[in-house]
Amino acid sequence: MNRLKPFAYFEPTTLPEAIEILAAQEDGAFLFAGGTDLLVRMKRGVIKPSAIVNLKRIEGLDQIKKEPGRGVRIGALATFSAIENSHLLRLSHPVIAQAVSVLACPSIRNLATMGGNIGRASPASDAAPFLMILSAIVSLKGPQGERELGMGEIFSGPGTTALRPAEAITSLFLPDMATHSGAAYLKIGRREGMDCALAGVAASVTLSGVKIEAKDTKIALSAVAPVPMRAKKAEEAILSERLTEKCIRKAAKLASEEISPVSDMRASASYRREVVRVLTYRALMIALQQAREG
Amino acid sequence: MKVSIDLTVNGERHQVDITPWITLLELLRETLHLTGTKEGCGLGECGSCIVLVDGTPVNSCLMLAVDAQGRQITTIEGLASNGDLHPLQQSFIEKGAVQCGFCTPAMILSAKALLDENPDAGEEEIKQALSGIICRCGNYKKIIEAVRTASDRKADS
Amino acid sequence: MKTNYVGKSVPRVDALEKVTGQAIYCVDVELPGMLYGATLRSPLAHARIIEIDTSEATRVPGVKAVVTGKDFPYTFGHMIKDQPFLAMDKVRYANEPVAAVAADTEAAAQEAVEKIQVTYEELPAVFDPRKAAATGAPIIHENLEKYEHSSMYKIVPGTNVCTHMTYSRGDVDKGLSEADEIFQNEFYIHPVAHTPMETHAAVVKYDPSCRVFTVWSSTDAPYQRAKDLAKALGLSFNQVHFFSTYSGGGFGGKGAIVAEGIGVALASFTKGRPVKVVYSRQEELTASQVRLEAFLKLKTGVKKDGTLTARVAEITWDNGAYSSKGPEVARRGALTIFGPYRTPHVEFVSRLSYTNKQPSGAYRGFGTNQVTWACEAQMDIIANKLRVDPVEIRLKNFYQDGDRYINGQIMQAAGLRETLERASRGIGWGEQNSKSAGALVRGKGIATTIKGTATPTDSYCFIKVNFDGSITVLTSSVEIGAGQKTVLAQIAADTIGVPLDSILIPNPDTYATPFDFGVTSSRTTYHMGNAIRMAGQSVRKEILEIAADVLGANPQRLVFREGKIMDRDSEHEMSLKELMTKKYGGKGGSILGDGHYTPARSSIIKAEHGIQWMGSIFWMWATHAAEVEVDTETGVVKVVKIAAAHDVGRAINPMACEQQIEGSVMMGISNTLFEEFKMDKGRIMNDTFADYKVASMLDLPVIVPIIVESHHSEGPFGAKGIGEPALSPTAPAIANAIFDALGIRFNELPITREKVLSALRERDSV
């Protein structure tokens, strides 16, 4: 059997308590939310925590709440299932349910949390791209108090975040989407079943009132750079021209050029580039269609 | 270091003293001797270890036993009631949905959770719900038929 | 003969235990006083072991034994006795077992394993069997010539080649000169893992007083494993006792000593306490068995109209570091490279070489996956060039009843035509492909296969009619998941004349159930089925004699069906239960029948002298017809539909036949499109399901299973087999369909999305 090695275990009931424990343990303590990344890496010996701090006894960290006139706040401990099935989010940010449906599989989604996914900072995160195109803001709390980081600031490298020692993600805030907006997340793996993205593309398009020009667009990619990233050059191309199919093709090509994919046992860099170009085009087309209908 | 937890498994209350580093899978198989739940990989990638926690399917190999505190766990052993098979157990037998049987507990429990929430689940929804469970015997087609049969019967009853 | 059960899709008799979680697999076995084993494995692919320090490991609390190859210096091997239980002077593949620990808990054993220190001296390693077979390659088994081995396997001294087989018939040069066109192609088929959901496991108990090893295992052939262990340890067969549990899948991978070896080594030192060894998924993927990798060269001469004139094959197989069943795969599996086709002149060279990789062994198909890949891909290459329809070219050349096989055996029950016709109809062969929709292009392809069964082999069984009329069938056929118990129970029920539910078939126990060659080679329905027919006829005869006596009737006038005996003359009726209770209910007793089936004396296998072994008591035929849809922008190949037609002789249980067909189509799709080992200096990098991808439910295509019944003259109720041929044609059918869609020929497996896209870019850049 794949088993865990012994660790010191803590079950704080408040966030300040959790932070205090983290601070006291220094580097050896890991926060434990869904465990679907943490326990796997522990069993594989990739990380060897001396202590685990279980966040799930703390009340109120898993709420999905509307902030009227502003957006939706998702608690760090909300599971991806809760997020996928949230009636509120299906109305306010439909791309989330669509994207989450290709994240792992149902039984994993019943455990895995949004906060855990961001904290893990996998370059291939399926959540980061849609959070980026939705301009999510991450709320943190630590010994020095509370602060916020944007999605462009939260990841500092593959598997590392900009969190300070003993800091925890408490929630993510998603501003309401503008009218005439559409968004989609497309991903490709090695088979149709659950797989780590070889490349993932989230794209959103917001049309101007007359619906022929893009007022705003965001394109975010995973698995093709050290951290999930925005394809800024591609975005600029969309915004600087009339929104034609040719323009979208050009943007897709730019996206494939501004990434820095690696070749690893999953896929080669050149395959990733090809696929990014195709998925960016397709995601933009879907987003555009939705924006026109919406 | 031991933690005392209280949980209900298949309707039966248990109080156990455990080390915090054991998973729910280990608790079920090794402490409670319920071997119907299997380890296929121990890393959440195959679904063999799926059990229902408060009716929701989870990979028990990735859940710490301490998190089962106060929860209702359903394993395959707890599905039949008073000797009567659950409609899914019945349809799995009838439709040839069992070959080597190793993935069967996970498939049945996940299908139960699906039908409890969505009695009208169609083929696409069944595939999505069971997508995280590997059947190496490749019996997917008959497994889907068995789930549909159970769902059709529930609809008729 | 009218049957009540044979031919019907009765529910699997083992299904109830499995849907309720009661079925015990080897990984579930718990015994009093049981210890747990863990294994230390080599990080290097080829190295001398200089020193092993186990002192820290023995001090871990709960540890009861720490064993190295020095403590347990034995080797085993069914065909070539080349494999140590624990590495001795050197290691030959990454993750080879070097030491093992037994402790009170698995966690303690794992902790102790980490504390064992080993000093290695790395040696040059070789991973490509073609390089390994060449002179000058690092020698992996220095004492190869000294190993005990069957004389069937020709070792080439001083090299890594441990089986070298040649055969020729007719005059290939003449045949090639008669050809209008000659095709020469090279093919590659990759190693894949069996990935049974239940990993390899064993529980072993050693009784030091009578020197008996008791082994609980889900191996597919308990008698063979007991035999090999007894031989390895210098024990009599009686001193190794196997209990079979249910198996969570084997697919050939449980056809060798794997976890049992570690268990035996540990149990020898735990003073009678049983030791349980369960492989983790990582151990399963890197240190159990894999399908033999093969490089195949095929040269075929054809006439303009598609008639084959000559075939020359050269195959290099990868044995891995230890033989397992590799030699027989290379010897027998190689033969069907010529396909199910009449070819007057054939020649082949088959070479098996060791490499510093995980041992290769039996994998569902036993060589036929590999040779069918080459043969059927080339048939399409030929058909395409000659502008002959792929179905037509096969129809033109395939074996029919009365034809002679390459060894002179006369073919019977050759249902290939029907499989070809029905499978191709099943995907609308000949109809225009659906129009391309944007980037999506469709194509269709077919492939056929031929597979025999190891011949001759023996199966024995006992049938007990108990004193209350209930029946126990004692057979060493393991329920490996394909429905062995059910099919055998159906045959028993109809042969004896009793209701199916009066029959119980317990799991094998080599002290109580008689010899069986094994659940392998797709042989169980045929061989054990026939043994059961024989035993069943014997008990039926005795039942009728007793009934005649008890009823005062003429035995010829008795009707015995569904457990009821009736005298046609007096119309007196009696149930079997009443009869047995009357005869044996007082002081007890039973009717005991035995059956021993072997095809050794059948005229069917008559062939030319010295090469009878190349034939088979029955041949299995199949055709897979596949329709694929390729996304030409991403390389994604979606298998839309597969019509899979199999000549099973007679479907004892049609639903169980469908299970095999549908199941192996999934395995075939998985092997062809998703599965691939990623290696780095002989280490497998993708040792979990995260990166060794196996088909999920979302990859399921429309599968149309088609059962063809050609009625074998000596099979039980006409049955043959199905387990293995179900897998072989899938890969070439998919590749041929991809060729139809894209005009791109893939001669190497796997066909991943990335490879497809890369090939498309190359095609379109020209």
Side-chain angles (χ1 to χ4, degrees), chain A residues 1-3 5 44 188-195 265-268 271 274-275 277-278 282, chain C residues 106 110 114 282 631 633-634 636 674 678 687-688 690-691 693-694 696 698-699 753-754 757 761:
Chain A
M1 244 204 191
N2 275 309
R3 297 177 191 269
K5 297 216 164 76
R44 299 227 64 193
I188 199 166
R190 288 159 289 189
R191 58 164 190 180
E192 288 312 296
M194 164 164 77
D195 198 1
M265 70 165 153
R266 295 183 178 140
S268 70
Y271 183 68
E274 284 275 0
V275 159
R277 191 173 50 80
V278 175
R282 292 180 183 180
Chain C
E106 196 186 33
Q110 290 170 342
E114 286 177 11
Q282 295 93 303
D631 182 331
E633 288 179 347
T634 59
V636 172
F674 311 136
K678 297 288 187 176
D687 61 351
T688 68
D691 291 305
K693 306 311 284 189
V694 161
S696 74
L698 296 178
D699 301 294
R753 296 167 170 194
E754 180 165 340
L757 193 61
R761 291 289 163 267

Side-chain angles (χ1 to χ4, degrees), chain C residues 5-282:
Chain C
Y5 301 103
V6 167
K8 299 210 168 71
S9 293
V10 305
R12 291 266 301 255
V13 302
D14 52 330
L16 179 61
E17 275 173 279
K18 292 173 176 176
V19 300
T20 52
Q22 300 307 310
I24 297 294
Y25 299 83
C26 189
V27 293
D28 301 323
V29 172
E30 279 180 61
L31 296 174
M34 194 169 77
L35 298 169
Y36 300 80
T39 310
L40 176 72
R41 299 176 177 279
S42 161
L44 301 168
H46 198 198
R48 265 188 225 301
I49 297 173
I50 306 299
E51 199 195 342
I52 305 181
D53 179 0
T54 59
S55 52
E56 254 190 271
T58 50
R59 288 198 287 271
V60 170
V63 166
K64 297 291 185 280
V66 181
V67 183
T68 67
K70 242 197 199 121
D71 306 312
F72 200 75
Y74 301 100
T75 60
F76 63 90
H78 188 69
M79 295 173 184
I80 300 176
K81 194 163 168 290
D82 60 9
Q83 189 164 2
F85 285 78
L86 295 167
M88 295 191 273
D89 53 330
K90 63 191 275 202
V91 291
R92 297 180 173 89
Y93 71 99
N95 273 10
E96 175 170 358
V98 171
V101 175
D104 287 334
T105 64
E106 196 186 33
Q110 290 170 342
E111 190 191 326
V113 157
E114 286 177 11
K115 296 192 150 75
I116 300 174
Q117 313 274 356
V118 185
T119 313
Y120 296 98
E121 179 199 305
E122 199 166 354
L123 297 167
V126 58
F127 306 116
D128 183 327
R130 296 168 301 178
K131 295 204 175 93
T135 42
I139 297 297
I140 299 168
H141 288 270
E142 291 93 339
N143 296 319
L144 180 54
E145 296 115 81
K146 301 207 179 80
Y147 291 160
E148 251 180 80
H149 65 278
S150 162
S151 57
M152 295 195 297
Y153 310 118
K154 190 166 146 230
I155 284 175
V156 180
T159 72
N160 287 314
V161 176
C162 60
T163 296
H164 192 276
M165 163 95 189
T166 57
Y167 175 68
S168 93
R169 177 183 196 77
D171 178 350
V172 286
D173 289 328
K174 174 168 177 286
L176 289 170
S177 69
E178 286 167 3
D180 292 321
E181 284 209 48
I182 295 176
F183 291 83
Q184 286 197 80
N185 300 100
E186 291 188 24
F187 301 92
Y188 169 74
I189 181 163
H190 64 317
V192 290
H194 304 73
T195 69
M197 291 323 293
E198 181 207 20
T199 58
H200 277 87
V203 180
V204 184
K205 182 175 173 6
Y206 178 59
D207 179 348
S209 53
C210 30
R211 298 184 68 222
V212 166
F213 283 94
T214 309
V215 182
W216 286 259
S217 161
S218 54
T219 190
D220 60 24
Y223 265 83
Q224 304 289 10
R225 308 293 107 72
K227 173 182 161 207
D228 288 339
L229 283 172
K231 188 152 159 247
L233 304 173
L235 300 170
S236 80
F237 181 78
N238 263 341
Q239 287 170 289
V240 183
H241 177 195
F242 263 70
F243 282 113
S244 295
T245 64
Y246 277 116
S247 172
F251 314 110
K254 289 180 180 165
I257 291 167
V258 182
E260 298 85 352
I262 312 282
V264 161
L266 284 171
S268 301
F269 295 91
T270 55
K271 303 187 173 71
R273 290 180 70 174
V275 183
K276 180 176 189 177
V277 175
V278 177
Y279 273 36
S280 67
R281 181 58 56 186
Q282 295 93 303

Side-chain angles (χ1 to χ4, degrees), chain C residues 362-501:
Chain C
Y363 186 99
R364 194 180 200 171
F366 211 76
T368 53
N369 289 179
Q370 295 91 324
V371 302
T372 303
W373 169 242
C375 175
E376 290 301 292
Q378 196 185 58
M379 287 305 278
D380 255 42
I381 290 170
I382 294 169
N384 183 253
K385 179 85 186 340
L386 297 179
R387 295 182 188 287
V388 175
D389 179 273
V391 172
E392 286 309 313
I393 200 172
R394 288 165 171 90
L395 286 173
K396 191 168 223 71
N397 290 285
F398 73 91
Y399 288 119
Q400 301 189 73
D401 281 6
D403 283 336
R404 284 187 182 274
Y405 186 57
I406 54 174
N407 70 341
Q409 178 186 9
I410 296 176
M411 298 305 230
Q412 62 130 301
L416 187 54
R417 169 182 283 276
E418 198 179 334
T419 70
L420 263 164
E421 287 173 348
R422 290 175 66 185
S424 55
R425 252 202 321 271
I427 55 155
W429 188 263
E431 290 164 28
Q432 191 134 46
N433 283 344
S434 312
K435 276 177 91 78
S436 305
L440 303 175
V441 181
R442 288 201 173 191
K444 289 177 183 151
I446 59 146
T448 62
T449 196
I450 176 176
K451 184 172 196 296
T453 186
T455 299
T457 65
D458 293 53
S459 290
Y460 297 72
C461 74
F462 295 135
I463 297 183
K464 284 194 303 180
V465 184
N466 300 307
F467 45 73
D468 62 350
S470 69
I471 294 176
T472 313
V473 175
L474 296 173
T475 167
S476 293
S477 292
V478 180
E479 174 56 69
I480 61 164
Q484 281 78 12
K485 276 196 195 190
T486 307
V487 161
L488 296 177
Q490 287 174 261
I491 291 172
D494 271 332
T495 304
I496 301 168
V498 292
L500 187 67
D501 61 12

Side-chain angles (χ1 to χ4, degrees), chain A residues 220-266:
Chain A
L221 314 167
S222 65
V224 291
V227 296
M229 56 173 277
R230 292 261 300 281
K232 295 250 166 82
K233 293 202 175 78
E235 290 172 2
E236 271 162 39
I238 300 275
L239 293 175
S240 63
E241 287 179 29
R242 291 277 305 277
L243 195 50
T244 60
E245 204 239 341
K246 188 163 164 223
C247 164
I248 290 178
R249 282 208 187 280
K250 178 175 162 193
K253 186 157 183 292
L254 285 169
S256 75
E257 286 162 3
E258 56 182 310
I259 58 176
S260 48
V262 296
S263 291
D264 60 17
M265 70 165 153
R266 295 183 178 140

Side-chain angles (χ1 to χ4, degrees), chain C residues 522-536:
Chain C
S522 311
R523 63 180 293 286
T524 298
T525 301
Y526 184 92
H527 294 76
M528 188 56 74
N530 271 339
I532 284 181
R533 292 250 305 149
M534 294 163 75

Side-chain angles (χ1 to χ4, degrees), chain A residues 39-243:
Chain A
L39 264 51
V40 172
R41 287 189 302 147
M42 285 169 72
K43 286 187 183 190
R44 299 227 64 193
V46 174
I47 53 174
K48 297 172 172 130
S50 54
I52 297 292
V53 182
N54 190 345
L55 293 172
K56 297 191 291 295
R57 308 286 178 266
I58 301 170
E59 296 220 3
L61 284 181
D62 59 355
Q63 304 294 296
I64 300 171
K65 275 211 172 88
K66 194 177 165 84
E67 291 185 5
R70 296 193 58 232
V72 180
R73 183 167 295 280
I74 303 177
L77 257 57
T79 63
F80 281 109
S81 279
I83 290 166
E84 187 185 3
N85 296 321
S86 157
H87 190 65
L88 172 58
L89 285 172
R90 278 171 185 261
L91 288 174
S92 62
H93 301 83
V95 66
I96 293 180
Q98 184 260 305
V100 169
S101 74
V102 297
L103 188 155
C105 64
S107 56
I108 295 283
R109 298 202 286 272
N110 287 331
L111 290 169
T113 65
M114 182 72 95
N117 190 293
I118 302 306
R120 166 69 179 92
S122 164
S125 162
D126 286 317
F130 69 74
L131 291 173
M132 287 175 136
I133 62 170
L134 297 175
S135 305
I137 297 167
V138 186
S139 292
L140 309 168
K141 188 164 176 166
Q144 282 108 30
E146 297 178 6
R147 62 184 183 123
E148 288 177 342
L149 286 178
M151 287 303 297
E153 304 164 285
I154 188 88
F155 302 123
S156 56
T160 56
T161 60
L163 265 62
R164 297 179 188 138
E167 226 175 4
I169 298 168
T170 55
S171 66
L172 283 90
F173 175 72
L174 302 175
D176 280 328
M177 287 183 80
T179 49
H180 309 306
S181 285
Y185 177 64
L186 296 177
K187 133 187 197 186
I188 199 166
R190 288 159 289 189
R191 58 164 190 180
E192 288 312 296
M194 164 164 77
D195 198 1
C196 189
L198 303 181
V201 179
S204 68
V205 172
T206 303
L207 295 173
S208 66
V210 291
K211 293 196 185 176
I212 53 162
E213 268 171 6
K215 194 162 107 180
D216 191 17
T217 185
K218 295 211 173 41
I219 303 167
L221 314 167
S222 65
V224 291
V227 296
M229 56 173 277
R230 292 261 300 281
K232 295 250 166 82
K233 293 202 175 78
E235 290 172 2
E236 271 162 39
I238 300 275
L239 293 175
S240 63
E241 287 179 29
R242 291 277 305 277
L243 195 50

